[in-house]
């Protein structure tokens, strides 16, 4: 009896997928924790960074900028713990889509700003060029991580797994 390569892959994926999920969950948690921590010490700068996109009225942009680091930190903690993983992945995906749209909008309108993703952001100094394409590609990669967790939120070493108990074995396997 011959075993095809696709059959081998099909039998390995269920064993590997949960651990890929752990790496994905912890990687996305690190992104949110770093992003939030880099902004939480200067909420006014975070507000200015959001305002630099010129998409929201100034007062709304400053409130969004002040709230965003706490949302990012909360997402990071939830993902680190593996608690409400699918919800955290959904909110992550939504935020990342907004971030990509905001960066693309700034690029299309010819604004010269730093995205403020991992720091204060805002207007760039004269002579500095924005790096919109790498920022968009980076956020699309993070969006892929969130998408993985939307599809497969259950991972080992997580509060979700501990609360739900061991996974039910599929009868077809």
């Amino acid at each position: 009896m011959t075993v095809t390569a696709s059959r081998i892959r099909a039998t390995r994926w269920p064993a590997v997928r949960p651990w890929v999920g752990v790496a994905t969950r912890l990687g996305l948690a690190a992104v949110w924790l770093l992003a939030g921590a880099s902004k939480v010490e200067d909420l006014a700068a975070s507000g200015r960074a959001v305002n630099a996109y010129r998409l929201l009225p100034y007062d709304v942009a400053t409130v969004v900028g002040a709230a965003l680091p706490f949302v990012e930190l909360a997402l990071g903690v939830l993902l680190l713990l593996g608690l409400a993983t699918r919800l955290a992945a959904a909110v992550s995906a939504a935020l990342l889509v907004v971030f990509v749209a905001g960066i693309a909008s700034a690029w299309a309108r010819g604004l010269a700003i730093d995205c403020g993703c991992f720091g204060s952001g805002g207007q760039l100094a004269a002579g500095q060029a924005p790096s919109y394409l790498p920022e968009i590609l980076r956020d699309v990669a993070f969006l892929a991580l969130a998408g993985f967790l939307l599809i497969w939120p259950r991972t080992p070493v997580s509060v979700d797994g501990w609360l739900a108990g061991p996974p039910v074995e599929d009868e077809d396997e």
Side-chain angles (χ1 to χ4, degrees):
M1 181 173 171
T2 359
V3 178
T4 64
S6 63
R7 179 70 180 140
I8 292 171
R9 281 191 300 272
T11 58
R12 284 188 190 160
W13 178 242
V16 172
R17 185 185 68 225
W19 297 104
V20 171
V22 169
T24 300
R25 182 172 54 81
L26 295 178
L28 195 54
V31 167
W32 289 129
L33 291 170
L34 288 171
S38 70
K39 292 179 261 201
V40 78
E41 291 183 19
D42 191 353
L43 298 179
S46 182
R48 286 190 300 274
V50 172
N51 188 56
Y53 285 89
R54 299 183 196 162
L55 293 171
L56 302 169
Y58 178 78
D59 291 338
V60 175
T62 56
V63 169
V64 168
L68 188 58
F70 297 102
V71 172
E72 292 170 338
L73 289 170
L75 288 171
V77 169
L78 287 173
L79 289 167
L80 183 65
L81 296 173
L83 178 61
T85 302
R86 182 170 275 152
L87 175 63
V91 174
S92 295
L95 270 178
L96 289 161
V97 167
V98 168
F99 293 167
V100 168
I103 295 167
S105 171
W107 192 6
R109 291 179 292 135
L111 300 178
I113 63 173
D114 178 336
C115 75
C117 302
F118 293 94
S120 58
Q123 296 295 327
L124 291 174
Q128 286 186 309
S131 57
Y132 295 129
L133 184 58
E135 291 168 353
I136 289 171
L137 293 175
R138 178 202 60 215
D139 285 354
V140 167
F142 295 154
L143 181 58
L145 297 179
F148 183 96
L149 291 173
L150 276 168
I151 297 167
W152 295 294
R154 187 118 181 238
T155 61
V157 194
S158 68
V159 174
D160 286 343
W162 176 72
L163 291 172
V168 176
E169 293 295 322
D170 189 8
E171 293 177 11
D172 295 336
E173 291 183 17

